Amino acid sequence: MKTDVLIIGGGLSGLSTAYHLNRLSGMTSLVVEAGAKVGGQAVSERVDGFVFDQTGHLLHLHHPYGKRLVRSLLGGNLAEHCRDSRIHSHGTATRYPFQANTYGLPVPVIEECLAGFLETVHWPRPPADGSFRRWCLAQFGSGISRHFMLPYNEKVWRRPLDEINTEWQGPFVPKPRAAEVLCGALTDQTKAFGYNTTFLYPKQGGIQPLADSLASRLKPGQVLTNCRVTAVDLEGRTAQVVGLGTVRFKRLVNTAPLPAFLDLAGPLPRPIGSARRRLRCNRVLCLNLGVARAKVSDRHWIYFPERKFPFYRVGFASNFSRNVAPPGASSLYIEAARGPGEKESLPSLERRFMDGLRGCGLLRPSDRVLARQWVLLEHGYVVYDRDRAPALETIFSFLRKAKVESIGRYGAWKYSFMEGALLDGKICAERLVKG
Ligand SMILES: Cc1cc2nc3c(=O)[nH]c(=O)nc-3n(C[C@H](O)[C@H](O)[C@H](O)COP(=O)(O)OP(=O)(O)OC[C@H]3O[C@@H](n4cnc5c(N)ncnc54)[C@H](O)[C@@H]3O)c2cc1C
C-alpha cells in the first residue's frame, strides 16, 4: 500500500490534516488510528444509558476559522453556555477565578489574600527564577498563592512548582486588576474572567460527533481504525501498520505522543534519544459517574485546591447537555492527576473520591450510582519544565531534516485544546501543499 501522506492518529489534528489536504490539493493521504474509533481524546462512550467523555471536553473557540469549522461540522447540534464554575475552599464555593473572587471565604482568609495581593502592587518583585511558584507569589501574593494557586497546581502538575515554568500559562491564568481583586473581595462580583467565559458543547452525543463529522467528510477508506503503527523507517519512507502491513509514504504526519512516536522511529541518534527522555507529562485519572438524582449541582465544574480532597476538579456533564444522562439523573466527572511512578489502586482511589464527594456535600449518602467508568489518560498534561524547550528544539530539528511533521497536543508536546488541534491540522496541510 502507498500514499503521498501517511497520518498517524485519527484524533482531531490527524483528521483535520486529511480534511484540509483534500480541500487544498490532489495529494493522497491516509489516516491510521490505533483505536476502535476516531476522536483520540475527544471521544465519548455510552455506558448504561449515560454518554461519558474523557473528562470534560468543552469547545472554547477563539479563532474565526476555528469557529466557522466547528459550526460547519456540528451545525444545529451545538449549544452555547455561559461558564458557571466555582472553587470549593474552606467549606464554601467562590466564583472562578479565585484570585478575583475571595468574597464568601472566612474573613481571615480574605484579609490574607488581599494583604498579599496589595503587597505585590506596592512592592512589585519580578519573579526571580522563571518558576511558576515564584511567578504566582510575585503576581498574586502569598495568600492567594497559599490558598489556591500553589495547592491547585501541585495537584494538577504533580511536580514541584519550582520546576514548572510559566510558558504554558499565558491565556489560561487570569490576571485581574487591583480594582477587580478588591471588588471581588467585598462583593459577589459577577464579571467573567479568563479564556473560557463561554463555551459550546454538542446538544446530543457528547463530544464524539465533532470527530465523527470530520471523519465523515473524508474519502471512503481514507481513515482506518484498529490500525496501530508499530514501526517507522524514516529513511526508507515506510511504516508497519497492524492490518495493513507495509505502507509506503512520501510525507509523514505524526499526531501520536512524541516520545512514543520517536520510539517507533528508532534506533535514534544519541542526542535525540537523550532529548526524548527529557519529555515529561502527567497522567490523568478520571472517574465518570452516573447518579440517580437530577441536578446534583447547578454548576458546570468545581475546582478543589484543598489537599483533603483527592481530586482537583469535578464537572457536571449533564449541565452541558441534558442528553448525556437519562431523565432524573446526573453525570459527573471527577479528575485526579499522577506523576510517573505514583501508584494507587483504582478501587482505593474510587473509595477516596466517593468519600470526598460526600464530604463536600455533592453526593448524599442515599445517592445511587447507576453507571461508572474509569478513564486513564497516560498522557494528560505535558509538563513545562526547564528541559522541555531545549529537548523539543533538538527533536524538531531532527524531524525537519527527516521531513516529518509532528503536530497536535501530544505530537507537538504542548498544552492546547481541541480548537488548536483542528487548526494544527489545517496549518500542517498548508505546509505540506507548499512543499
Ligand atoms: C484531562 C483533559 C481535559 C481536556 N479538556 C479539554 C476541553 O475541555 N476542551 C478542549 O478543547 N480540549 C480539552 N482537552 C484537550 C484535547 O483533548 C486535545 O487538545 C485534543 O483532543 C488533541 O487532539 P490530537 O489529535 O492532537 O491528539 P489525540 O486526541 O491524542 O489523538 C492522537 C491519536 O493518535 C492515536 N495513536 C497513538 N499512537 C498511535 C499509533 N502508534 N498508531 C496509530 N494511531 C496512534 C491515538 O489513539 C489518538 O487517537 C483536554 C485534554 C485532557 C487531557
Side-chain angles (χ1 to χ4, degrees):
M1 190 177 226
K2 63 181 182 179
T3 177
D4 290 335
V5 184
L6 180 65
I7 301 167
I8 304 179
L12 295 176
S13 57
L15 295 173
S16 170
T17 306
Y19 170 77
H20 288 97
L21 271 176
N22 289 357
R23 290 172 62 118
L24 293 170
S25 79
M27 286 161 108
T28 59
S29 63
L30 176 67
V31 183
V32 283
E33 165 56 46
K37 56 175 155 181
V38 294
Q41 298 223 326
V43 289
S44 314
E45 291 286 342
R46 288 183 185 274
V47 181
D48 297 333
F50 291 80
V51 178
F52 291 137
D53 294 346
Q54 303 205 351
T55 85
H57 265 78
L58 320 174
L59 286 154
H60 314 295
L61 305 178
H62 298 284
H63 194 283
Y65 180 74
K67 289 181 191 170
R68 279 206 307 282
L69 179 60
V70 168
R71 286 206 179 274
S72 83
L73 291 171
L74 290 173
N77 187 15
L78 263 184
E80 182 159 14
H81 304 266
C82 287
R83 177 194 69 206
D84 183 355
S85 61
R86 303 284 160 140
I87 292 122
H88 185 98
S89 177
H90 295 87
T92 186
T94 61
R95 288 180 193 275
Y96 173 85
F98 185 91
Q99 55 271 36
N101 295 301
T102 48
Y103 183 78
L105 288 164
V107 170
V109 177
I110 301 180
E111 272 177 17
E112 188 187 341
C113 291
L114 276 189
F117 181 78
L118 292 176
E119 273 180 31
T120 68
V121 176
H122 286 284
W123 298 286
R125 276 179 233 142
D129 57 1
S131 78
F132 185 68
R133 195 177 81 82
R134 291 295 186 98
W135 178 83
C136 287
L137 290 167
Q139 184 78 36
F140 303 113
S142 53
I144 291 173
S145 296
R146 187 165 85 86
H147 290 287
F148 181 74
M149 283 295 165
L150 302 182
Y152 178 75
N153 280 287
E154 276 162 7
K155 274 186 169 183
V156 174
W157 296 104
R158 309 301 288 185
R159 306 273 300 180
L161 296 179
D162 291 313
E163 292 175 15
I164 305 285
N165 63 35
T166 55
E167 278 169 41
W168 59 275
Q169 57 79 23
F172 302 118
V173 182
K175 290 135 206 128
R177 290 179 294 114
E180 293 164 337
V181 173
L182 287 175
C183 178
L186 299 172
T187 66
D188 188 15
Q189 169 170 247
T190 52
K191 180 173 176 184
F193 295 86
Y195 75 100
N196 60 355
T197 56
T198 62
F199 63 87
L200 297 168
Y201 191 77
K203 291 179 189 163
Q204 302 273 356
I207 197 61
Q208 184 72 47
L210 180 63
D212 286 348
S213 171
L214 195 49
S216 73
R217 283 154 205 244
L218 302 184
K219 296 174 188 157
Q222 198 181 359
V223 51
L224 300 175
T225 51
N226 295 312
C227 285
R228 175 178 289 281
V229 175
T230 54
V232 174
D233 176 353
L234 293 177
E235 279 188 13
R237 310 310 273 171
T238 59
Q240 298 306 315
V241 184
V242 170
L244 301 178
T246 303
V247 178
R248 311 192 77 80
F249 57 83
K250 291 183 189 151
R251 300 297 302 263
L252 184 63
V253 177
N254 169 58
T255 73
L258 188 54
F261 169 72
L262 292 171
D263 293 344
L264 296 178
L268 300 168
R270 190 169 292 183
I272 311 304
S274 110
R276 178 245 174 273
R277 285 190 291 280
R278 283 182 279 134
L279 301 179
R280 300 178 185 99
C281 67
N282 70 8
R283 285 177 291 136
V284 168
L285 296 89
C286 165
L287 177 64
N288 285 318
L289 273 190
V291 174
R293 175 158 57 92
K295 283 272 168 206
V296 160
S297 166
D298 293 332
R299 313 297 174 209
H300 290 125
W301 62 90
I302 303 176
Y303 300 95
F304 287 83
E306 291 168 325
R307 292 190 181 92
K308 65 181 174 186
F309 294 105
F311 33 77
Y312 61 80
R313 185 166 58 179
V314 177
F316 306 93
S318 40
N319 294 344
F320 317 148
S321 158
R322 272 307 322 150
N323 298 308
V324 298
S330 296
S331 170
L332 286 71
Y333 56 91
I334 303 116
E335 297 171 88
R338 291 290 178 268
E342 281 189 278
K343 290 206 171 70
E344 178 177 0
S345 76
L346 293 184
S348 147
L349 187 58
E350 185 165 331
R351 269 194 303 279
R352 295 203 299 124
F353 274 12
M354 298 306 278
D355 289 345
L357 291 171
R358 290 189 193 106
C360 67
L362 277 172
L363 286 192
R364 299 174 188 158
S366 58
D367 278 330
R368 250 178 339 114
V369 172
L370 300 176
R372 59 158 54 72
Q373 180 203 35
W374 271 106
V375 178
L376 310 178
L377 302 174
E378 273 309 307
H379 299 88
Y381 292 85
V382 164
V383 170
Y384 279 65
D385 57 12
R386 284 183 205 99
D387 287 339
R388 178 185 164 275
L392 286 184
E393 212 175 299
T394 307
I395 292 166
F396 274 94
S397 133
F398 166 75
L399 292 180
R400 269 191 300 277
K401 284 185 201 134
K403 291 199 165 27
V404 175
E405 300 276 347
S406 194
I407 63 161
R409 179 168 162 125
Y410 303 101
W413 206 246
K414 61 185 179 180
Y415 187 10
S416 66
F417 289 91
M418 291 184 285
E419 182 185 44
L422 293 169
L423 295 174
D424 278 5
K426 173 176 186 280
I427 294 165
C428 174
E430 288 165 354
R431 261 199 313 266
L432 289 169
V433 171
K434 277 189 199 143

